[in-house]
Amino acid sequence: MDTRPKVSSLLNRMANYTNLTQGAKEHEEAENITEGKKKPTKTMLTAISMSAIATNGVVPAGGSYFMISRALGPEFGGAVGLCFYLGTTFAAAMYILGAIEIFLVYIFPRAAIFRSEDALKESAAMLNNMRVYGTAFLVLLVLVVFIGVRYVNKFASLFLACVIVSILAIYAGAIKSSFAPPHFPVCMLGNRTLSSRHIDVCSKTKEVNNMTVPSKLWGFFCNSSQFFNATCDEYFVHNNVTSIQGIPGLASGIITENLWSNYLPKGEIIEKPSAKSSDVLGSLNHEYVLVDITTSFTLLVGIFFPSVTGIMAGSNRSGDLKDAQKSIPIGTILAILTTSFVYLSNVVLFGACIEGVVLRDKFGDAVKGNLVVGTLSWPSPWVIVIGSFFSTCGAGLQSLTGAPRLLQAIAKDNIIPFLRVFGHSKANGEPTWALLLTAAIAELGILIASLDLVAPILSMFFLMCYLFVNLACALQTLLRTPNWRPRFRYYHWALSFMGMSICLALMFISSWYYAIVAMVIAGMIYKYIEYQGAEKEWGDGIRGLSLSAARFALLRLEEGPPHTKNWRPQLLVLLKLDEDLHVKHPRLLTFASQLKAGKGLTIVGSVIVGNFLENYGEALAAEQTIKHLMEAERVKGFCQLVVAAKLREGISHLIQSCGLGGMKHNTVVMGWPNGWRQSEDARAWKTFIGTVRVTTAAHLALLVAKNVSFFPSNVEQFSEGNIDVWWIVHDGGMLMLLPFLLKQHKVWRKCSIRIFTVAQLEDNSIQMKKDLATFLYHLRIEAEVEVVEMHDSDISAYTYERTLMMEQRSQMLRHMRLSKTERDREAQLVKDRNSMLRLTSIGSDEDEETETYQEKVHMTWTKDKYMASRGQKAKSMEGFQDLLNMRPDQSNVRRMHTAVKLNEVIVNKSHEAKLVLLNMPGPPRNPEGDENYMEFLEVLTEGLERVLLVRGGGSEVITIYS
């Protein structure tokens, strides 16, 4: 029965989809806003990018985290999302501390619990008050959030009303100041601003009982309270004390004086440029108002930036919105337009109404600590005080509402395992556990009480979040993914890229070291998520970017074969499966991982015999088994399973078709068919030889591991030992390169390389050793060289004469008394430019090309048969007749002689070696000689624990040039 849903029911579910948590019936519905057309603007770059992402599909809970993670992947999303969560949580602590400071300083100073008469301890007492009241206020706000988001929205409306009234009061006060400015005197000495906290009158003298006496100000600048015999500060003597209006009003024209920037260093006296002053320096007095910190544009950006971090407040509560796709773009853009107008207009009004010396006085020393904006506002300064208090309360409440929902979204995605518990919520959808963790982190910020050092990091977290929102939009636009269809049309990748660049620039302009700290924290979270294996497939842009980069790289690789300097073994590892679909020789994968060390291409292939339609499930199960084994052996690569009617055909398909474009394997790795002599089924070793033939025809290198079960695991490490290379035939440098690559792995790192080559008795062995040592020196390979001398008859089947230039080979052969069959059997000659070595191999593809196997009866010529035939007396007519009747192939006799003699020498020299590398001759062209070929290799490698037979692919793989 077809269980697929009907189209009607499917469409119904899609149309009525909601991203609210089940049971969240009390969530309020967002007000429907008619979407109108808007012209694109070059400001609000992050809002534009966020609007494009938010309208490209349903946005459930998580807001900015959801957007970044689905666009850039779980690693980026988790790292940036967690940093943004921490920033939002500590921001809640900052807002609460700001509210408590307003309460204790301007609203109810007598509420302070801790007091101190000592001015030095006064600040410490204030911090303790803020800790106590901040903790109590945090508990109150957490309870409001815990009850439900509907109550947060009700409080938010109240707070918003207070803020709006405060803003209107500032505008009203600015207008009123144009015709009736408030009385707000500032005392000046010459053009220097004086602190009014300790002076009684703004004058050098004062009238007391009709007598002129020195004022307190006189005592601060003179060493005597008497007019006579007093020594006063030179600047005090030559300049008058005057009182100016701190808020001259909108019609005063003070804006012309405040229009241009005037950044001052720390400790500089705040001066009024237009005021009269004698050109006398004087001494620095504590009664002057001084600059508390060196100011600059970047510093002001850092101070101002936290006031605009509310751009993400709405997106963080995306799960509570009825239609997030509509509400987020409209709400965010309108909020930015509104706040931008308020901020800019207030900056202009303050500059047009208030004296510059007052604006630069951070602590209000010149105006007895009064709130300047409160004095400017109308009808009362209390409007501003109450509005500021509720504004910080509202901001803290919004942070405590959005941060838990952000954490819950991260936890539900299960990309950070230890956060999984915070994904649970109560029946109405409120993230209870996430709220408790948020409250605990915010409490840490309140206990610190002074977040001057932490605040810049929080700004970096916010900037980093905005940066990645812009990056996500730019990446999706440039990749042109089919699913990128945002309803918000007024975006462009250039605007997103500009916003990303500005965010990055602001991070380093504001504080480069805090920027680095924030990036390191995000990087550590990224690597943790990557290490834990966030196996999420969200169709993110990073994956799309990887595909585009891979396509570009593959097209570049198609331009030509790799240079010898760039050659490295790109492996196709052929694994054999048992009846239960388990890998028979897992150490073959271990060896591959040690050889590759995570570099280059590794394809692990296997064949299942059968019909694809019937064995598809088995193929998937086998593929998963191999992938798990690859993960356990730390093999970074790909798995390829083939279902074929015959094993040999499947292996041939793998060798031909694995890889893509220029990213293909150049080396085949397989195991030796152990027990082939005792097996009644000849298909195993025939498949092996067939694979060798296919590999040779494809011009691929071949590595055959014999006794692979004895190869070391990745946890074993040889503390000493040798890797012995028996270099009998030049194979393009494979035998030189492989031990060097193995030594890069920790298992083989402490092993030494020894290279053996074979010489005839009449050769100059000393010169050959020098030549080979020089060659290895140029190859930058450290190895011990040894030349082994053998009799000509012992190695005649493996090597014949000294290596010569290719054009000299045929001329040399004509002068030698060799039969045609022997000349045809003689292997190909490859000359090495640095040494004259014996290089020709038996059994290459040219071997036995003209040999008429049809005329002979080939028997399996084993080592035992060879030793038995050697004991016969050739001069005996009867023995000779018996030999003729048996008619063994004389080439097989010679081969077995070579195998025995070489094996004796190799075992004698390398029986204690950790690994022995040998040239692997090619198989005969005529299949009738296959069993003899297998016997030859078996005899050649007898008595050796670990053997790697190597056959080059016909190209040079190593060079002496840099």
Side-chain angles (χ1 to χ4, degrees):
M1 181 178 178
D2 193 352
T3 59
R4 289 178 294 178
K6 294 182 179 180
V7 174
S8 58
S9 61
L10 179 63
L11 291 176
N12 181 265
R13 288 201 299 269
M14 293 176 64
N16 294 293
Y17 173 82
T18 176
N19 53 33
L20 296 181
T21 307
Q22 186 176 3
K25 297 180 180 179
E26 60 187 53
H27 285 72
E28 295 186 332
E29 296 184 352
E31 183 181 359
N32 293 327
I33 303 175
T34 304
E35 187 174 6
K37 294 184 178 179
K38 296 180 177 64
K39 295 182 179 180
T41 174
K42 292 185 178 180
T43 59
M44 308 177 301
L45 301 178
T46 303
I48 292 173
S49 300
M50 186 175 68
S51 300
I53 300 175
T55 57
N56 188 55
V58 177
V59 181
S64 56
Y65 158 72
F66 180 87
M67 299 177 195
I68 295 174
S69 61
R70 268 54 176 184
L72 299 179
E75 294 85 0
F76 280 110
V80 178
L82 204 56
C83 289
F84 187 61
Y85 163 76
L86 293 175
T88 306
T89 303
F90 275 103
M94 292 178 63
Y95 293 136
I96 292 174
L97 289 175
I100 298 303
E101 184 176 1
I102 293 173
F103 175 76
L104 292 176
V105 174
Y106 297 108
I107 298 178
F108 197 17
R110 295 182 180 180
I113 301 174
F114 302 95
R115 301 177 183 275
S116 178
E117 299 297 332
D118 189 351
L120 298 176
K121 297 181 180 180
E122 184 179 354
S123 60
M126 183 63 177
L127 292 179
N128 290 329
N129 287 319
M130 295 180 69
R131 291 186 181 103
V132 174
Y133 282 100
T135 302
F137 197 59
L138 173 64
V139 173
L140 178 63
L141 294 183
V142 168
L143 288 176
V144 174
V145 177
F146 181 79
I147 293 173
V149 71
R150 65 182 297 183
Y151 297 100
V152 173
N153 292 339
K154 291 183 182 298
F155 278 106
S157 300
L158 173 63
F159 296 155
L160 177 62
C162 295
V163 172
I164 291 175
V165 171
S166 300
I167 294 172
L168 294 177
I170 294 174
Y171 290 133
I175 295 173
K176 179 178 176 293
S177 69
S178 61
F179 54 86
H183 180 67
F184 202 60
V186 176
C187 189
M188 306 288 295
L189 176 61
N191 65 349
R192 298 178 179 180
T193 310
L194 294 173
S195 173
S196 60
R197 293 185 182 272
H198 304 108
I199 62 176
D200 49 357
V201 293
C202 185
S203 173
K204 294 182 180 181
T205 60
K206 62 180 179 180
E207 296 290 332
V208 177
N209 298 326
N210 296 323
M211 295 180 60
T212 302
V213 296
S215 65
K216 287 186 178 181
L217 187 61
W218 177 281
F220 292 137
F221 287 90
C222 300
N223 62 355
S224 174
S225 60
Q226 303 296 323
F227 287 121
F228 305 101
N229 301 323
T231 304
C232 298
D233 178 78
E234 188 177 5
Y235 188 86
F236 180 78
V237 173
H238 290 84
N239 288 276
N240 296 325
V241 175
T242 58
S243 178
I244 63 173
Q245 183 65 287
I247 304 179
L250 196 61
S252 64
I254 194 66
I255 190 172
T256 58
E257 189 173 315
N258 296 332
L259 187 60
W260 309 109
S261 60
N262 184 21
Y263 303 118
L264 299 175
K266 181 180 179 179
E268 189 80 9
I269 300 174
I270 297 178
E271 299 177 346
K272 179 177 173 61
S274 60
K276 294 181 178 180
S277 174
S278 298
D279 191 15
V280 179
L281 183 60
S283 61
L284 187 63
N285 194 287
H286 292 293
E287 292 308 307
Y288 291 129
V289 179
L290 306 178
V291 178
D292 68 309
I293 189 172
T294 301
T295 55
S296 63
F297 174 77
T298 58
L299 176 70
L300 296 182
V301 169
I303 294 174
F304 176 75
F305 181 77
S307 64
V308 298
T309 55
I311 177 178
M312 294 290 188
S315 67
N316 289 345
R317 296 175 55 187
S318 56
D320 300 324
L321 301 176
K322 180 180 179 181
D323 187 354
Q325 295 187 56
K326 178 184 293 185
S327 301
I328 289 178
I330 295 178
T332 302
I333 292 177
L334 288 179
I336 291 178
L337 289 175
T338 303
T339 54
S340 297
F341 171 77
V342 172
Y343 290 152
L344 293 175
S345 61
N346 274 271
V347 169
V348 173
L349 287 177
F350 293 162
C353 298
I354 304 174
E355 272 284 352
V357 294
V358 177
L359 293 174
R360 292 188 179 93
D361 183 7
K362 178 179 177 181
F363 299 104
D365 292 330
V367 291
K368 297 183 178 180
N370 289 321
L371 193 62
V372 179
V373 180
T375 306
L376 174 65
S377 63
W378 182 87
S380 170
W382 282 101
V383 177
I384 300 300
V385 173
I386 299 299
S388 300
F389 176 78
F390 283 120
S391 175
T392 52
C393 291
L397 196 59
Q398 293 294 336
S399 297
L400 290 175
T401 304
R405 283 160 171 74
L406 181 59
L407 179 62
Q408 184 186 40
I410 298 173
K412 280 187 174 181
D413 281 338
N414 198 23
I415 60 174
I416 302 178
F418 66 84
L419 293 179
R420 194 176 306 163
V421 65
F422 300 106
H424 303 295
S425 58
K426 61 181 182 178
N428 65 350
E430 292 298 324
T432 307
W433 291 105
L435 177 61
L436 293 177
L437 178 63
T438 302
I441 297 175
E443 176 62 17
L444 291 177
I446 290 175
L447 292 178
I448 295 174
S450 178
L451 296 180
D452 291 341
L453 297 178
V454 181
I457 300 181
L458 307 186
S459 297
M460 297 303 160
F461 287 158
F462 284 116
L463 278 170
M464 192 182 301
C465 181
Y466 303 159
L467 184 152
F468 279 96
V469 168
N470 284 292
L471 175 62
C473 181
L475 191 63
Q476 298 276 38
T477 306
L478 290 174
L479 289 177
R480 299 179 182 178
T481 54
N483 192 54
W484 180 244
R485 303 184 300 273
R487 289 192 179 93
F488 184 82
R489 300 294 182 184
Y490 308 108
Y491 69 94
H492 193 272
W493 67 266
L495 293 178
S496 300
F497 187 79
M498 187 187 303
M500 180 183 68
S501 303
I502 292 174
C503 289
L504 185 62
L506 283 177
M507 289 178 67
F508 283 92
I509 288 175
S510 300
S511 178
W512 64 268
Y513 41 90
Y514 280 120
I516 293 176
V517 170
M519 288 182 174
V520 168
I521 294 174
M524 292 172 63
I525 300 173
Y526 178 96
K527 296 304 294 184
Y528 173 79
I529 297 174
E530 185 181 52
Y531 176 77
Q532 288 294 327
E535 297 178 0
K536 302 290 183 181
E537 180 49 60
W538 292 328
D540 53 85
I542 294 297
R543 185 173 178 84
L545 183 63
S546 299
L547 291 173
S548 298
R551 172 182 171 274
F552 175 78
L554 287 172
L555 291 175
R556 287 289 303 271
L557 288 176
E558 283 288 295
E559 296 177 0
H563 191 273
T564 304
K565 291 187 293 185
N566 297 328
W567 195 96
R568 67 167 59 246
Q570 316 287 7
L571 303 183
L572 170 60
V573 184
L574 299 178
L575 296 182
K576 189 174 182 180
L577 304 177
D578 59 19
E579 296 178 354
D580 297 327
L581 302 181
H582 294 151
V583 178
K584 280 191 174 182
H585 301 295
R587 285 294 170 88
L588 203 60
L589 271 182
T590 308
F591 173 73
S593 68
Q594 294 168 4
L595 181 63
K596 297 295 293 180
K599 304 296 190 299
L601 174 69
T602 301
I603 303 174
V604 180
S606 188
V607 179
I608 295 179
V609 179
N611 183 276
F612 178 74
L613 298 178
E614 298 175 357
N615 299 96
Y616 177 70
E618 292 183 9
L620 291 180
E623 184 175 355
Q624 289 302 316
T625 300
I626 294 177
K627 285 184 177 179
H628 289 315
L629 182 60
M630 292 172 64
E631 184 177 352
E633 296 294 341
R634 297 182 180 179
V635 176
K636 297 181 179 180
F638 309 97
C639 179
Q640 182 72 52
L641 262 291
V642 170
V643 180
K646 294 182 180 180
L647 182 60
R648 262 190 278 187
E649 291 181 1
I651 293 177
S652 177
H653 294 333
L654 284 173
I655 293 175
Q656 294 179 62
S657 60
C658 278
L660 180 63
M663 197 64 175
K664 295 179 68 69
H665 57 278
N666 55 28
T667 304
V668 176
V669 180
M670 60 190 302
W672 174 262
N674 296 320
W676 67 274
R677 286 171 171 170
Q678 294 78 23
S679 176
E680 296 179 358
D681 188 0
R683 286 181 296 179
W685 61 266
K686 287 186 177 180
T687 299
F688 171 80
I689 295 182
T691 304
V692 176
R693 286 195 173 97
V694 173
T695 303
T696 304
H699 299 288
L700 301 176
L702 177 64
L703 306 180
V704 178
K706 190 178 181 187
N707 302 330
V708 68
S709 58
F710 295 116
F711 277 53
S713 66
N714 283 327
V715 295
E716 300 178 42
Q717 295 187 33
F718 294 128
S719 58
E720 58 181 359
N722 298 312
I723 300 177
D724 286 357
V725 177
W726 284 84
W727 191 29
I728 303 172
V729 178
H730 184 65
D731 56 353
M734 278 286 289
L735 283 173
M736 305 293 185
L737 186 61
L738 291 176
F740 170 78
L741 295 177
L742 281 175
K743 277 178 62 65
Q744 307 306 307
H745 196 273
K746 62 181 181 180
V747 172
W748 306 92
R749 188 165 296 149
K750 295 183 180 180
C751 292
S752 302
I753 301 176
R754 296 193 303 179
I755 297 181
F756 298 89
T757 188
V758 179
Q760 289 179 298
L761 295 177
E762 65 271 17
D763 287 332
N764 188 344
S765 301
I766 297 177
Q767 185 60 41
M768 288 180 64
K769 184 175 182 178
K770 289 182 178 179
D771 291 341
L772 183 54
T774 303
F775 180 51
L776 293 174
Y777 173 78
H778 288 304
L779 290 177
R780 289 90 65 199
I781 294 178
E782 295 182 5
E784 180 184 343
V785 176
E786 186 170 341
V787 178
V788 178
E789 294 183 346
M790 296 184 67
H791 195 274
D792 182 40
S793 61
D794 293 339
I795 58 172
S796 58
Y798 222 118
T799 56
Y800 280 96
E801 44 258 319
R802 186 175 301 278
T803 303
L804 299 173
M805 298 296 290
M806 292 299 295
E807 58 267 29
Q808 295 174 330
R809 180 185 178 203
S810 58
Q811 179 182 359
M812 185 67 182
L813 290 177
R814 283 196 297 269
H815 293 288
M816 295 183 64
R817 296 181 179 180
L818 295 177
S819 66
K820 182 178 183 299
T821 302
E822 290 172 325
R823 288 201 307 271
D824 293 336
R825 191 175 292 113
E826 202 265 326
Q828 71 171 12
L829 187 68
V830 182
K831 177 186 178 298
D832 182 80
R833 298 181 180 179
N834 292 280
S835 60
M836 304 295 283
L837 302 175
R838 306 187 180 283
L839 302 177
T840 26
S841 112
I842 66 160
S844 61
D845 293 341
E846 292 80 3
D847 289 354
E848 308 177 31
E849 185 175 353
T850 59
E851 193 169 351
T852 56
Y853 282 88
Q854 299 87 340
E855 300 176 359
K856 300 178 181 180
V857 179
H858 286 271
M859 302 176 65
T860 303
W861 195 251
T862 64
K863 177 181 179 183
D864 296 336
K865 291 179 180 178
Y866 163 73
M867 297 300 294
S869 66
R870 190 178 182 187
Q872 296 176 357
K873 295 182 178 180
K875 296 182 180 179
S876 172
M877 192 66 182
E878 182 180 359
F880 182 73
Q881 187 63 41
D882 292 339
L883 191 60
L884 290 178
N885 291 336
M886 197 169 90
R887 300 189 67 188
D889 185 358
Q890 296 302 314
S891 65
N892 290 337
V893 176
R894 185 171 58 177
R895 288 183 181 182
M896 197 54 59
H897 177 85
T898 300
V900 171
K901 288 299 182 180
L902 273 177
N903 178 258
E904 290 176 356
V905 175
I906 293 173
V907 171
N908 180 49
K909 296 285 187 180
S910 303
H911 66 280
E912 293 183 352
K914 301 302 182 183
L915 180 64
V916 177
L917 283 78
L918 278 170
N919 287 116
M920 180 179 179
R925 292 231 172 165
N926 196 315
E928 294 182 9
D930 287 353
E931 197 166 357
N932 296 327
Y933 172 73
M934 293 292 294
E935 190 65 39
F936 173 84
L937 295 178
E938 189 71 63
V939 171
L940 183 65
T941 56
E942 272 186 347
L944 300 174
E945 185 179 12
R946 303 181 191 93
V947 180
L948 186 65
L949 296 171
V950 180
R951 180 164 174 80
S955 60
E956 293 290 332
V957 301
I958 195 167
T959 179
I960 65 174
Y961 300 104
S962 60

